[in-house]
Amino acid sequence: MDIFILLGTMIACFLIGMPIAYSLAMAAIAGALSVGIPLEALMLKISDGVSKVAMLTIPFFVLAGAIMAEGGMARRLVAFADVLVGLTRLRGGLSIVNVLATTFLSGISGSAVADTSAIGSVMIPQMEKNGYPRVFATNLTISSSVQALLVPPSHNAVLYSLATGGTISISALFMAGVFPGLLIGFSLIMLCLVIAYREGHPQGRTVPAKEAIKITIDAAWGLITLVIILGGILGGIFTAIEAGAVACIWAFFVTMFVYRDYKWRDLPVLLHRTLRTVAMVMTLIACASAVGYIMALTQMPAKMTAFFLSISSNKYVILLLLNVLLLLLGTLLDMAPSILIATPILLPVMQNFGVDPVHFGMIMLLNLGIGLCHPPVGAILFVGCAVGKVSLEEVMRKIWPFYGVMLFVLMLVTYLPEISLWLPRHILH
């Protein structure tokens, strides 16, 4: 009954349109009253939820990503990717440029929505101008943006670490996301090549040497951000928090003093938007911490484990059921609340089946990321449609091959744990 009251209150609040953070708070209050816990104890848990030092990672990386995404970095990364692809003159070269540019920007922004908006606004019109269907360009941009949810500095990896109570290293999660993210990019490039030769997409152009050198030098300033984040963490120079702080300073320097595309008068608006984003995330984390506390008191994880064991004791069957559950959750709820709600429930279940918490984090992020490319919630999908200026119906008719590729990668990541675990095991330990 306690679990029913907790979940029932939460779902009822969702259905009447209450903001997710407030819905979580109301569910926590209802659950506390049901189990007889003083509300003062609940307030302490809400406070504890946002008092961790690791929380500093979020504002640093959100701000660094916002500065680089809006300061002309996307356009320069697209040009640099064009140089690299132009060396091969492959058919469908511009579609490969789209994926590569998104890969580069993902390692800077940490946000799939930001990547979709920034890369899509540059690449979709350019691809259409060169003879690619606009819907194809939009679908490719939407799908390749899922990389940002996995590769460092993924904001959602930080949220997952916080949802585990800080027991999982953010650096380990960052490293674990590198190969799954690159695998998505590589798989999409293979799909692009198949479609390009089947539908006769144009070849990539070779950039003249003088222009290529200028583009490379111009893009190198921003690519150093990748070196700061990855190299600093891999080399043990920075913690994840320190890497975020240094990335912020470097992003500000490059944007305002090197590229100088961004106006000083626009900076307060960007800071205000960043603060709003961080405030929303922090409120979600605080309220989700209270819900997690009530879930622990009601022994929900243990009961969920018993439920899964009643279905099967085979780990691989349970992983398949878990994927179906998370895919459905990802289509119905935005990513941050999904992570904060599902992690305290499902992580203990998966640990009982011998699944590594870092590996489970990658499974969860990839599932929920695919959900963001599907209605009815689909934040990446709707941003892509808006940027690409195409209807949802047009996109959904043509996006199925891209879903197929992402689901294929999901199966590989789920059943081959070393894809996620090899790098953190060999680099961080």
Side-chain angles (χ1 to χ4, degrees):
M1 180 56 71
D2 295 333
I3 293 174
F4 176 78
I5 291 171
L6 178 70
L7 296 180
T9 303
M10 188 189 305
I11 293 169
C13 291
F14 287 163
L15 292 175
I16 64 174
M18 184 179 289
I20 291 172
Y22 299 153
S23 300
L24 294 175
M26 292 299 296
I29 291 169
L33 294 174
S34 172
V35 298
I37 298 298
L39 294 182
E40 290 84 354
L42 204 62
M43 296 305 107
L44 287 173
K45 283 296 174 183
I46 288 175
S47 175
D48 289 345
V50 287
S51 338
K52 300 177 179 70
V53 175
M55 297 287 287
L56 289 171
T57 313
I58 296 174
F60 283 143
F61 279 123
V62 169
L63 180 57
I67 293 172
M68 297 301 279
E70 297 187 24
M73 174 49 50
R75 177 169 51 81
R76 288 171 173 85
L77 289 177
V78 167
F80 178 63
D82 197 21
V83 170
L84 296 179
V85 174
L87 297 173
T88 62
R89 288 190 56 80
L90 287 170
R91 185 172 294 281
L94 263 187
S95 57
I96 300 172
V97 170
N98 189 320
V99 178
L100 282 181
T102 305
T103 303
F104 291 141
L105 190 60
S106 295
I108 295 170
S109 72
S111 167
V113 171
D115 283 11
T116 305
S117 178
I119 297 296
S121 60
V122 177
M123 283 304 305
I124 294 173
Q126 188 175 339
M127 289 179 70
E128 185 182 37
K129 182 181 177 182
N130 283 271
Y132 293 80
R134 195 173 188 88
V135 173
F136 169 79
T138 302
N139 282 331
L140 180 60
T141 304
I142 290 167
S143 305
S144 59
S145 295
V146 174
Q147 294 176 88
L149 303 172
L150 298 168
V151 301
S154 165
H155 305 161
N156 293 288
V158 177
L159 285 181
Y160 174 74
S161 174
L162 295 170
T164 65
T167 57
I168 310 300
S169 161
I170 294 173
S171 297
L173 291 168
F174 278 180
M175 293 303 99
V178 171
F179 286 156
L182 294 178
L183 187 57
I184 287 180
F186 176 77
S187 302
L188 287 172
I189 287 173
M190 293 298 102
L191 177 64
C192 288
L193 291 174
V194 171
I195 294 175
Y197 279 92
R198 190 181 67 194
E199 300 186 5
H201 289 169
Q203 288 182 317
R205 71 182 186 96
T206 301
V207 180
K210 186 176 179 180
E211 184 183 348
I213 292 170
K214 181 179 181 300
I215 289 170
T216 302
I217 293 172
D218 205 25
W221 290 97
L223 292 173
I224 290 174
T225 312
L226 285 170
V227 178
I228 291 172
I229 296 168
L230 280 175
I233 295 173
L234 287 172
I237 302 168
F238 304 130
T239 64
I241 299 170
E242 292 162 351
V246 175
C248 264
I249 295 169
W250 179 256
F252 179 79
F253 169 73
V254 171
T255 299
M256 305 310 294
F257 296 101
V258 179
Y259 292 155
R260 291 182 290 183
D261 288 350
Y262 205 74
K263 301 291 186 283
W264 285 91
R265 64 174 178 269
D266 295 331
L267 200 57
V269 177
L270 183 145
L271 290 172
H272 179 258
R273 196 159 55 244
T274 301
L275 286 172
R276 284 188 61 187
T277 301
V278 171
M280 287 189 290
V281 172
M282 295 294 189
T283 306
L284 269 173
I285 292 171
C287 296
S289 298
V291 172
Y293 173 60
I294 301 300
M295 285 178 177
L297 291 177
T298 58
Q299 298 182 326
M300 186 183 292
K303 292 170 182 174
M304 284 294 293
T305 301
F307 170 72
F308 277 109
L309 282 170
S310 69
I311 298 173
S312 173
S313 59
N314 187 309
K315 180 173 79 170
Y316 301 105
V317 173
I318 297 301
L319 283 170
L320 181 61
L321 293 174
L322 176 78
N323 280 325
V324 173
L325 177 64
L326 288 174
L327 282 170
L328 289 172
L329 182 65
T331 63
L332 297 173
L333 202 59
D334 206 2
M335 194 156 187
S338 296
I339 293 171
L340 295 168
I341 294 168
T343 300
I345 302 173
L346 297 177
L347 179 58
V349 177
M350 291 298 103
Q351 287 180 300
N352 284 332
F353 282 96
V355 178
D356 188 282
V358 174
H359 178 214
F360 173 66
M362 294 304 105
I363 295 172
M364 173 176 277
L365 294 181
L366 188 47
N367 269 295
L368 298 178
I370 295 171
L372 290 182
C373 301
H374 192 283
V377 173
I380 303 175
L381 177 68
F382 292 124
V383 170
C385 290
V387 172
K389 298 178 182 176
V390 292
S391 70
L392 180 63
E393 291 76 14
E394 290 175 298
V395 165
M396 290 307 298
R397 279 199 295 268
K398 300 284 187 177
I399 201 171
W400 299 104
F402 298 92
Y403 283 153
V405 165
M406 290 190 285
L407 290 172
F408 171 72
V409 173
L410 173 62
M411 291 298 103
L412 290 179
V413 171
T414 299
Y415 293 110
L416 298 175
E418 285 302 305
I419 294 175
S420 304
L421 299 178
W422 187 88
L423 199 58
R425 280 177 180 166
H426 286 77
I427 300 295
L428 298 179
H429 300 293

